Amino acid sequence: MTASARPQSWPFDTVLIANRGEIAARLVRTVQRLGMKAVVVYHSADRETLAVHTADQAVEITGTPPVAAYLNAAQILSVAKATSCGAIHPGYGFLSENAVFARAVEMAGLVFIGPTPEQIELMGDKVRARGFVERAGFPVATSAIEDDDPATFAHRARCLGTPLLIKPSAGGGGKGMHIVRDLALLQTEIERARSEAERYFGDGRLYVERYIERPRHIEVQVLGDNYGNVVHVFERDCSLQRRFQKIVEETPSPALTPQQRQHICETAAGIVRSARYRNAGTVEFIFGSSGEFYFLEMNTRLQVEHPVTEEVTGLDLVEEQLRIAAGEPLRYSQAEIQSRGHAIELRLYAEDPAHGYAPTIGPILALHPPHGENVRWDSGIVRGSEVTSAFDPMLAKLIVRGSNRVDAIRRADQALRQTVLLGCKTNIAFLRRLIAHPAFVAGDVHTGFLEESWQIAAEPVMSVSKLQALLAAAALSTRPMVGGADAVPKLHAAMGSWRN
Amino acid sequence: MHHGFKLDDTEYSVELSRGRNGYRLHFDGVTPEVHLSSAADTRRWLTVGGQRFEVVIATRGDDVFVHLDGEVHHLRYRHPLDRLRAQSQISAEDSLRAPMPGTLVAIRVAAGDVVTRGQQLLVMESMKMETILVAARDGLVAAVHYDTGRTFDRDALLLSLEPRATAPT
């Protein structure tokens, strides 16, 4: 897209970014490109990160644990006022789908880069959104909602039959979700889900859905403005997940026929139009193996995987969000939005796939991002950053675009191979095995694929020559070993050459 | 006792000695000549018995990270003395260590409590998951080393049991 500066008529020229990590750095980029100033807030644990280095101004906020800083609306608002910000961009996670925060931003006379508080209340609440979508005539999965009658909740859940999926009403991001295949475990799993939901969302209400076996997760990017205009920006296939969290996303979906693609995208646009939604948003669907699909939820914010959409359409979704928030009408008709080529995003996590994807921590000692044509690296870390357990373990997103899917996979492998990130265990080698797997290459995966094909996560057997090379590299980099080796000849010299 | 490196879950014994023009690696019965080019930038050339590899190496303390052939490997150096000490240490069953970094969200027991094998001791949380940690054997809780809310690294000692009474000799 053209690098056009913000018009003078906009109600803001300085944007506070209420987030951290890669998304904060990515938001800074677009805000600055449009000729505006970007202010970031950060917890001291995030001092050595890209967003703090690149923002026009960075203001420290406090909180214990560190995530609390980014959830502290009052603190963030007072920074916004003190730095003369006219708008707040919440990114994803944290306060991005918090209607109380959106309202407080508006009450403070600032622009919230997002939907109206009422739209968050409607579409951001999973249970309410399901009801709305169902009433509007769109497909939803059968479910039991605790709020309808808490006393009969477990009974109604049982009646749906197994397998079941328990979800927090206020949830997102896979937190507190549990599959139940054996009804004897229903009560235990409900209690576990409730405990997690209470801690993550401060809200223990749950609902249970019939779990669709071997489903694909397909979502549709949408844009709506203040004047009732809505367009979709095509779908993303996010079927590769571990623990209900996405790790590889792509567009177009390899599973859809052109007719199915059009149908699911138009359904999403229809839902969003019914809600008179404003802002960028994502409508998520469960897509069954026989082509049926159900509304899952709507995310009323920018999505982690938005870059794949940007790569195939040329749009900058953050710029569109800013324009919509500034009161501009949508700049494109549906027909003007075209998708070209194939884009794949790979999420690089600080984790150990061979040990149940357990998160890892450590300092970033060396970092060489991949480079090359159609390779995009969205990351918040720099050399010297410290990966801690205080935040989400996502380190970076690698996005590649190819002329078709085969080309994109090839580029993705090449880019992963180039990536050097030393200091904590990451999933890079695992991602390479994953995208080389015949099922992925064939586009034949579902959200439970990694649980079924757990062998991909196991460390492959290492060749002797590779093991030897690693031990040599390590030994030659370890002072006591090199020092020990160096000391011996001297000893021999002192003793004379009697051995010869 | 030799020097050692732990890679994934295996520990390997290795030695380094001076060779004719550099060093020799002693591992698994063979002793190839090895050489590491000095670092111009962080990329270096490693030669092992005539075979050349491009590597990036970073170290911190006893941790060595090696990027080789498109993959990163983490090795942890074990000094001969530490390896000796580890051999003579008390049973691992006496200590409950963190399977991953995280925080404690619930402590179900206190020092002095009698616990039975499989009993829930601690609930930890790492990112988006709760994990219940249970007793590996019957015993008496000696100490809980972390409060709720404090973060810890993988392998941190979270709870210890009193050592088993030694059998009468």
Side-chain angles (χ1 to χ4, degrees):
Chain A
M1 284 293 115
T2 49
S4 42
R6 159 198 76 93
Q8 291 299 312
S9 59
W10 280 22
F12 50 85
D13 62 7
T14 305
V15 178
L16 182 128
I17 291 160
N19 216 297
R20 61 173 299 282
E22 66 87 19
I23 195 61
R26 189 256 170 275
L27 295 172
V28 167
R29 222 159 48 222
T30 293
V31 167
Q32 291 179 338
R33 183 172 62 74
L34 293 174
M36 295 185 286
K37 284 206 191 87
V39 177
V40 298
V41 287
Y42 69 96
H43 183 272
S44 60
D46 280 332
R47 186 170 288 121
E48 294 305 322
T49 57
L50 190 59
V52 174
H53 291 186
T54 55
D56 296 282
Q57 198 177 345
V59 181
E60 187 175 332
I61 52 174
T62 56
T64 313
V67 284
Y70 297 97
L71 290 167
N72 187 329
Q75 210 178 163
I76 290 168
L77 274 171
S78 80
V79 172
K81 282 186 196 152
T83 53
S84 310
C85 287
I88 295 187
H89 197 306
Y92 53 68
F94 296 122
L95 294 165
S96 62
E97 293 183 279
N98 184 318
V100 175
F101 178 67
R103 197 164 277 128
V105 171
E106 288 184 354
M107 297 286 278
L110 305 174
V111 175
F112 180 70
I113 315 282
T116 65
E118 295 73 25
Q119 289 165 347
I120 297 178
E121 276 161 352
L122 173 65
M123 299 310 282
D125 181 294
K126 288 191 175 189
V127 173
R128 209 172 293 161
R130 283 180 102 267
F132 173 80
V133 168
E134 196 172 11
R135 282 193 302 280
F138 298 102
V140 299
T142 52
S143 66
I145 297 165
E146 184 170 31
D147 268 0
D148 288 349
D149 179 12
T152 62
F153 176 50
H155 172 71
R156 285 180 292 123
R158 255 174 241 282
C159 292
L160 296 174
T162 54
L164 293 172
L165 184 59
I166 307 173
K167 299 180 181 182
S169 297
K175 296 170 191 161
M177 283 180 27
H178 294 266
I179 297 176
V180 180
R181 295 182 190 281
D182 175 0
L183 285 177
L185 297 174
L186 179 66
Q187 205 54 47
T188 322
E189 293 296 314
I190 285 179
E191 294 318 317
R192 272 181 73 187
R194 192 185 309 289
S195 149
E196 288 177 21
E198 268 164 7
R199 272 186 315 102
Y200 287 118
F201 312 111
D203 180 346
R205 291 172 308 135
L206 303 172
Y207 69 104
V208 170
E209 254 177 19
R210 184 68 195 270
Y211 180 65
I212 312 261
E213 294 282 7
R214 302 173 71 86
R216 295 187 81 103
H217 174 113
I218 294 179
E219 60 185 33
V220 179
Q221 176 70 54
V222 294
L223 289 170
D225 65 15
N226 285 297
Y227 314 101
N229 303 306
V230 168
V231 291
H232 71 75
V233 197
F234 300 103
E235 85 288 8
R236 293 184 286 258
D237 192 319
C238 314
S239 300
L240 273 180
Q241 309 186 351
R242 55 114 184 81
R243 281 199 248 119
F244 299 112
Q245 280 196 309
K246 301 161 187 167
I247 44 178
V248 178
E249 300 101 339
E250 59 184 312
T251 184
S253 166
L256 300 180
T257 63
Q259 291 76 16
Q260 285 172 325
R261 187 181 199 201
Q262 192 180 353
H263 186 200
I264 205 165
C265 289
E266 281 175 3
T267 302
I271 290 169
V272 169
R273 203 168 283 122
S274 313
R276 292 193 65 81
Y277 180 78
R278 158 191 105 183
N279 182 36
T282 298
V283 184
E284 299 190 333
F285 297 97
I286 286 292
F287 186 82
S289 45
S290 47
E292 77 281 18
F293 62 87
Y294 302 106
F295 171 80
L296 185 64
E297 63 180 78
M298 178 165 179
N299 293 317
T300 58
R301 53 167 167 85
L302 194 65
Q303 199 95 338
V304 177
E305 57 274 21
H306 75 276
V308 289
T309 301
E310 296 183 328
E311 291 309 304
V312 294
T313 59
L315 289 177
D316 177 336
L317 291 170
V318 174
E319 176 175 353
E320 300 309 321
Q321 284 189 297
L322 290 162
R323 288 183 179 280
I324 292 164
E328 290 190 8
L330 287 184
R331 299 195 289 166
Y332 309 96
S333 68
Q334 190 64 65
E336 285 172 309
I337 299 174
Q338 300 281 324
S339 157
R340 285 189 191 86
H342 195 100
I344 300 178
E345 174 180 280
L346 304 136
R347 297 194 192 186
L348 274 56
Y349 283 108
E351 68 183 19
D352 185 355
H355 289 91
Y357 305 97
T360 57
I361 58 176
I364 304 298
L365 300 172
L367 178 62
H368 304 290
H371 44 81
E373 206 190 343
N374 297 328
V375 173
R376 172 171 165 182
W377 173 259
D378 278 20
S379 167
I381 53 168
V382 292
R383 193 169 155 238
S385 295
E386 190 79 30
V387 180
T388 70
S389 63
F391 300 109
D392 187 89
M394 194 172 77
L395 297 169
K397 307 184 305 202
L398 169 63
I399 306 104
V400 294
R401 186 166 69 88
S403 52
N404 53 44
R405 191 164 185 270
V406 172
D407 185 38
I409 294 173
R410 185 183 59 77
R411 284 172 196 268
D413 183 65
Q414 209 166 37
L416 285 172
R417 226 186 118 76
Q418 281 176 1
T419 306
V420 178
L421 201 161
L422 303 185
C424 65
K425 177 105 190 147
T426 74
N427 66 340
I428 294 176
F430 161 77
L431 288 171
R432 288 188 63 201
R433 295 196 293 275
L434 181 55
I435 61 172
H437 193 280
F440 179 76
V441 172
D444 182 23
V445 296
H446 54 93
T447 57
F449 174 73
L450 278 173
E451 261 165 55
E452 255 176 41
S453 307
W454 53 270
Q455 302 90 336
I456 303 171
E459 296 281 352
V461 176
M462 194 179 290
S463 71
V464 174
S465 71
K466 191 167 190 178
L467 177 60
Q468 210 176 39
L470 288 175
L471 292 170
L476 290 167
S477 310
T478 300
R479 203 164 295 149
M481 293 200 67
V482 176
D486 288 343
V488 172
K490 283 181 203 140
L491 203 71
H492 283 166
M495 289 188 290
S497 51
W498 56 269
R499 290 204 309 178
N500 295 335
Chain B
M1 206 62 170
H2 292 283
H3 296 270
F5 283 101
K6 201 174 166 198
L7 173 64
D8 299 326
D9 292 323
T10 314
E11 197 164 308
Y12 299 96
S13 285
V14 289
E15 281 300 322
L16 207 58
S17 69
R18 270 291 192 183
R20 205 155 304 162
N21 353 278
Y23 297 94
R24 283 188 179 280
L25 179 77
H26 299 249
F27 168 64
D28 207 17
V30 290
T31 56
E33 290 238 356
V34 293
H35 181 256
L36 188 61
S37 72
S38 49
D41 62 351
T42 52
R43 285 174 202 279
R44 308 167 77 174
W45 287 102
L46 171 73
T47 318
V48 181
Q51 219 187 334
R52 243 156 72 98
F53 303 90
E54 190 182 351
V55 292
V56 182
I57 301 172
T59 59
R60 188 164 97 153
D62 288 338
D63 292 314
V64 185
F65 296 88
V66 183
H67 184 267
L68 176 127
D69 197 19
E71 285 180 18
V72 176
H73 301 272
H74 172 207
L75 299 98
R76 176 165 281 182
Y77 174 63
R78 300 290 307 274
H79 191 275
L81 289 177
D82 292 332
R83 299 183 77 197
L84 269 177
R85 200 173 306 135
Q87 276 189 348
S88 59
Q89 239 171 27
I90 47 166
S91 157
E93 280 191 353
D94 291 338
S95 35
L96 176 62
R97 291 183 179 275
M100 60 191 101
T103 53
L104 286 188
V105 293
I107 299 174
R108 303 255 195 260
V109 291
D113 285 1
V114 174
V115 295
T116 52
R117 183 164 182 266
Q119 184 178 336
Q120 295 191 3
L121 302 177
L122 306 168
V123 183
M124 67 165 285
E125 183 227 292
S126 194
M127 309 300 162
K128 328 233 152 168
M129 255 192 352
E130 272 187 14
T131 307
I132 294 165
L133 304 175
V134 300
R137 62 166 173 87
D138 296 349
L140 187 70
V141 177
V144 180
H145 302 285
Y146 281 81
D147 293 329
T148 52
R150 261 189 68 198
T151 59
F152 47 78
D153 201 350
R154 183 176 163 183
D155 285 336
L157 179 61
L158 302 179
L159 179 147
S160 1
L161 297 179
E162 292 290 353
R164 254 185 233 275
T166 36
T169 46

